[in-house]
Amino acid sequence: MKLKHSLIALITAAAAFGSAQTALAETKFNMANEYADTSFQADGDRFFLERVNELTNGSVAIDYFPGGGLGYKSADHFYAVSDAAIDIANTFIGQLSGVDPIFLLPSQPFVVTSEKEAKVLEEVLASRYAKTFADNNQVYLFSSPWPPSGLWSREPVSDTASLQDLKVRVADANATIVFQEAGAAPLQLSWGDVMAQLATNALDAAVTSAEGGVNSKLWEFLPNYLAVNYTTPVNVIHMNLDAFEALNDDEQAAVRQAAQETVDRQWGLLAERLQENYAILRENNVDVVEDVPADVLDTLRSASDASMASWLEKAGPDGAAILEEYKSKMQ
C-alpha cells in the first residue's frame, strides 16, 4: 500500500512539475493596434491571436492592445517593432510611406476598384513587404483589408464645387495630393487624432471607410457618406524578428498558419462587413450616397493622376515593374 501511495505521489509530483514547466515555457508577446476594439482590424487580430494560442497549445500567448493602448500610433509602429518596444503590430500601411514608397501603392486611387483586384495587388506586393521588413529586423506576417474608402462630410458633397476648400482629413500622402488637386484643403492625420479635430470644427470632412465611421460614430459630426470606393486600404501585421526567431520551428509554423487563416477570413468577410456597415449608417440617419455624382468622380480620377506620377517618381523602376506585374495579372 505504501508503494502504491508513493507511486501516486511520484506521478502527481511529476505532473505538477510538467505543468509548471509548461507554464514557464509559455512565450508572451504584446500586439498593438491604433484602431478601436470594435473595428474590422481588431476583429481579425483577435482571431489571429486566438489561433496562435490554439495551434501552439498555449505555448505562445499574445496580449492585445487595440485603440492605441500601448501608447503608439500607426506612424510609430514600424520602428517600435524594429526596436522591440512592441512585439507585433497591426499598422495602417499608408503611414509607412517614409520607410518605402511601395507601401503607398495599395492606397493609390483607382488602382484597385474591386475586392478581387485588391487581393491580387497584395499577393504581388507580399515579397516586397517581406524584404523591407526583413531589412529592418522584422517579419511580415500578413495584410488585412479595410472596406473601401469613402468621404464623410458635414454638408453633402453633391458636385465638384462642394470640394472647394473642403477641410478634409486624409490618411496618407496619396490622398493629400488627390484632394489638393481637386481644390480641397486636406490635413493628414492619424486616426487617433480625428475626433478631437472634428470636435473643434477644424475639419469639414474625413476620408475613411464606412467601417471607420461606424467604429467612431462619425455621424455625430459628419452625417453624410459618399461611397467613392476609390481604394481598398490595407493594414500590415508585422513582428519583431528576434521575437519570431526565439520561437521553435513548430511555433513559427503555427504563427504562419494563423496568419494565413486570418488573411482568408478577413477577405472572405469583407463584402458582408461593408453591407453591415451601410445598414448601421442608415439606422443612424446617415445619408449614404452610393451613386457618386459623375463630376465628383471625374474630378477625383483626374486628380489621382498627380498622385500616381508622384508615386512613380519616388518608387522608381522597381515600383513601375511591380505595377506592371499587377496589371498583367489582372488582364
Side-chain angles (χ1 to χ4, degrees), residues 29 48 51-52 55-56 60 62 88 139 141-142 239 244 247 249-262:
F29 296 127
F48 169 69
R51 288 300 291 142
V52 168
L55 291 167
T56 62
V60 178
I62 302 171
I88 308 170
V139 175
L141 295 178
F142 63 98
M239 182 175 184
F244 183 79
L247 301 175
D249 290 347
D250 288 343
E251 290 170 335
Q252 290 183 14
V255 170
R256 293 289 194 188
Q257 180 180 335
Q260 186 57 56
E261 289 181 12
T262 307

Side-chain angles (χ1 to χ4, degrees), residues 71 108 314:
Q108 277 294 337
K314 293 174 184 175

Side-chain angles (χ1 to χ4, degrees), residues 9-260:
L10 182 60
I11 292 169
T12 301
F17 178 75
S19 297
Q21 287 295 93
T22 299
L24 289 172
E26 182 181 81
T27 300
K28 279 202 171 185
F29 296 127
N30 58 38
M31 182 174 183
N33 182 350
E34 179 182 7
Y35 295 90
D37 196 31
T38 55
S39 70
F40 190 52
Q41 294 299 323
D43 190 38
D45 289 347
R46 282 192 298 272
F47 177 83
F48 169 69
L49 61 88
E50 288 168 4
R51 288 300 291 142
V52 168
N53 188 263
E54 292 165 359
L55 291 167
T56 62
N57 294 314
S59 69
V60 178
I62 302 171
D63 290 331
Y64 188 47
F65 297 88
L70 284 177
Y72 296 94
K73 297 175 183 177
S74 283
D76 308 317
H77 284 176
F78 188 85
Y79 294 107
V81 173
S82 180
D83 296 339
I86 302 173
D87 298 313
I88 308 170
N90 177 320
T91 303
F92 172 61
I93 202 168
Q95 295 292 336
L96 302 180
S97 60
V99 175
D100 189 332
I102 207 69
F103 289 122
L104 276 179
L105 183 54
S107 62
Q108 277 294 337
F110 306 107
V111 169
V112 301
T113 55
S114 69
E115 180 183 324
K116 177 184 177 181
E117 292 175 349
K119 287 178 69 175
V120 170
L121 181 59
E122 287 308 295
E123 290 166 3
V124 169
L125 287 169
S127 61
R128 177 58 180 268
Y129 294 161
K131 182 182 184 304
T132 300
F133 280 115
D135 289 345
N136 290 273
N137 196 44
Q138 298 176 63
V139 175
Y140 165 66
L141 295 178
F142 63 98
S143 300
S144 179
W146 287 100
S149 295
L151 179 63
W152 291 77
S153 59
R154 293 184 192 274
E155 301 298 329
V157 175
S158 55
D159 52 31
T160 300
S162 306
L163 293 171
Q164 300 307 301
D165 300 319
L166 188 73
K167 294 180 291 185
V168 55
R169 175 266 177 180
V170 296
D172 59 26
N174 290 336
T176 299
I177 294 172
V178 169
F179 279 89
Q180 282 176 340
E181 290 290 316
L187 179 62
Q188 186 173 327
L189 293 172
S190 290
W191 187 249
D193 297 325
V194 172
M195 300 308 290
Q197 294 293 318
L198 286 171
T200 59
N201 292 317
L203 294 172
D204 304 316
V207 174
T208 189
S209 61
E211 170 77 21
V214 167
N215 292 314
S216 298
K217 298 182 179 180
L218 274 184
W219 51 77
E220 294 179 355
F221 300 99
L222 310 174
N224 300 281
Y225 182 74
L226 191 63
V228 180
N229 296 349
Y230 74 177
T231 187
T232 299
V234 297
N235 281 22
V236 284
I237 290 72
H238 49 116
M239 182 175 184
N240 178 268
L241 178 61
D242 299 325
F244 183 79
E245 290 186 339
L247 301 175
N248 63 42
D249 290 347
D250 288 343
E251 290 170 335
Q252 290 183 14
V255 170
R256 293 289 194 188
Q257 180 180 335
Q260 186 57 56

